Amino acid sequence: MGRRKKISKENILNELVAIGFARVTNYLFVEEGQICVKPGEQLTDREAAAICSLEKTAGGMKVKFYDKMKALELLGKEVGLFGGGGGNTDDGPGLMAAVLSSTKEEIDTDDIYELQQTATPCPDLVE
């Protein structure tokens, strides 16, 4: 059964931070001259949050990450780095305040399941 997630400013910002500050070197390692994907059970929740998809290909594993630049842009706007408000300026409500105010009711995520995909350890290659 899936875990229930509370939709809050803090949770949204944490997801954006996970995506925006992900480093590919946290997911890959070299073994016997081959680039290998870290097994899924070894990923932290923060590391797993940045992965959009994993796909087994003829040449190994293809790892696709969420859009890092978009996450950094949204975070930058939230803290006022790009003139995006951040909730602390006189320009009106911040980005996150606008997102949260647009959600009129709590979203029930009980029926949304989180999939735990496990990457096959070496000798798979990353394209």
Side-chain angles (χ1 to χ4, degrees):
M1 175 118 331
R3 294 179 289 175
R4 184 181 172 125
K5 294 272 187 179
K6 181 179 179 188
I7 306 231
S8 69
K9 178 178 181 175
E10 182 179 346
N11 288 343
I12 292 169
L13 289 174
N14 284 337
E15 291 292 306
L16 289 173
V17 166
I19 295 165
F21 293 98
R23 299 273 186 258
V24 72
T25 53
N26 293 342
Y27 303 87
L28 307 177
F29 63 95
V30 177
E31 186 174 281
E32 297 179 12
Q34 300 289 316
I35 298 173
C36 304
V37 178
K38 188 177 182 181
E41 63 272 4
Q42 292 180 10
L43 296 175
T44 65
D45 285 345
R46 182 174 173 170
E47 289 170 337
I51 297 175
C52 180
S53 66
L54 293 171
E55 179 184 338
K56 188 167 178 105
T57 66
M61 293 295 293
K62 180 178 180 180
V63 181
K64 182 177 177 185
F65 295 91
Y66 286 106
D67 189 341
K68 179 181 184 115
M69 294 304 294
K70 184 64 175 180
L72 290 173
E73 177 186 349
L74 292 170
L75 288 167
K77 286 179 179 179
E78 175 58 22
V79 299
L81 185 62
F82 306 123
N88 298 328
T89 67
D90 295 333
D91 297 337
L95 175 66
M96 294 312 299
V99 169
L100 292 173
S101 69
S102 70
T103 306
K104 302 291 184 205
E105 59 188 65
E106 186 175 320
I107 298 172
D108 183 7
T109 60
D110 283 341
D111 295 328
I112 300 174
Y113 296 97
E114 292 183 18
L115 300 177
Q116 296 293 326
Q117 296 180 343
T118 304
T120 306
C122 274
D124 288 338
L125 301 176
V126 177
E127 288 186 346

